[in-house]
Amino acid sequence: MGVGVYGDIQLHRADQAEAFDAIGGRYDEAFPDKEGQLAAGGWLAESLPIGARVLDIGCGTGLPTCRQLVDAGLEVTGIDLSVGMLALARESVPEATFHRADIIDVGRLDRSDRLRRFEGVSAFFSLLMLPRAEISQALAIVHDLLVPGGWFTLGMVEADVDDFEMPFLGNTVRVSGYLRDDLRQVVEDAGFDVLKEDSYPYSPAAFDAPPEEQLFLHCRRRA
């Protein structure tokens, strides 16, 4: 997919990146227990051979996912738009490679300039920072970045909202989500088989982060 495919997509996430720059390590303090994310990361690691290449989209501080995947013997690349989060990730997981990039930005590049293809991709609570129209585009990019038969694990919050503004850890962010059946359909329409689905009720430690239902889809790219 070349530049023309995504040239008309408007990127309005500078404020999102600035919010997460300000949040920094407080994100992990607000979400100290990541049972669902760890289980999904474990599923991905177990699905891949040692040395397989994995992309973590919206890697944040690198914890727990990049650390988990590196410890499993995988070659990990993380991307995030937040400079502050990437600085923390490089400190926490020096064995991984990190780039300041957005998944839509990656999709707009010519293939020769892109990150190489991956055997696995994880995206935990990063695609929810996009409007729904761009979530569909992002899933198409993930499909393109994966080798045929590659593995993909996705974490989202169940919510019937599109580009909804909300307070989050002292900042303002915009989020999107789907009800679980709708999320499954969007992922399947992007060319993935959903092999397993898990959900976890979660109450963040921070007072200004509301309780949520976390959804995890374990997927495989159709050949």
Side-chain angles (χ1 to χ4, degrees):
M1 297 182 186
V3 173
V5 177
Y6 300 104
D8 60 344
I9 297 175
Q10 299 299 311
L11 305 178
H12 299 296
R13 288 183 292 284
D15 290 343
Q16 306 274 58
E18 289 177 6
F20 280 91
D21 284 342
I23 290 167
R26 290 191 295 122
Y27 181 88
D28 288 333
E29 294 173 6
F31 295 84
D33 302 312
K34 299 184 174 72
E35 177 186 0
Q37 185 170 337
L38 285 167
W43 172 86
L44 182 62
E46 291 169 3
S47 300
L48 294 167
I50 298 296
R53 299 186 68 248
V54 180
L55 176 66
D56 186 29
I57 299 169
C59 60
T61 66
L63 301 175
T65 299
C66 290
R67 178 79 271 161
Q68 181 183 24
L69 297 175
V70 163
D71 288 347
L74 303 173
E75 181 184 339
V76 178
T77 298
I79 62 172
D80 203 289
L81 268 182
S82 168
V83 173
M85 289 289 190
L86 287 171
L88 293 170
R90 291 184 177 110
E91 291 179 4
S92 299
V93 197
E95 306 95 323
T97 300
F98 296 99
H99 299 283
R100 185 172 186 265
D102 179 273
I103 186 60
I104 303 296
D105 292 334
V106 172
R108 295 173 71 218
L109 297 174
D110 288 321
R111 185 177 294 280
S112 60
D113 295 327
R114 281 196 202 184
L115 300 167
R116 290 177 292 138
R117 277 191 164 181
F118 296 86
E119 285 78 39
V121 172
S122 57
F124 294 126
F125 312 112
S126 50
L127 300 193
L128 61 83
M129 308 304 295
L130 306 175
R132 280 183 177 176
E134 293 189 12
I135 291 175
S136 296
Q137 299 287 358
L139 289 169
I141 295 165
V142 171
H143 185 276
D144 193 45
L145 287 172
L146 276 169
V147 300
W151 306 87
F152 173 45
T153 182
L154 172 68
M156 293 283 284
V157 173
E158 184 174 25
D160 189 13
V161 295
D162 183 14
D163 202 28
F164 176 74
E165 185 176 288
M166 61 174 286
F168 184 72
L169 300 181
N171 295 268
T172 299
V173 298
R174 305 187 72 87
V175 298
S176 300
Y178 301 90
L179 300 180
R180 64 188 64 203
D181 289 344
D182 295 331
L183 176 61
R184 174 186 286 270
Q185 189 63 57
V186 168
V187 172
E188 290 177 344
D189 288 347
F192 294 95
D193 292 320
V194 178
L195 307 178
K196 183 183 178 185
E197 177 184 312
D198 294 316
S199 63
Y200 297 80
Y202 196 96
S203 296
F207 73 92
D208 60 345
E212 58 192 35
E213 188 73 17
Q214 297 182 347
L215 303 177
F216 295 90
L217 271 57
H218 309 314
C219 314
R220 195 166 194 184
R221 181 194 144 154
R222 296 189 199 113

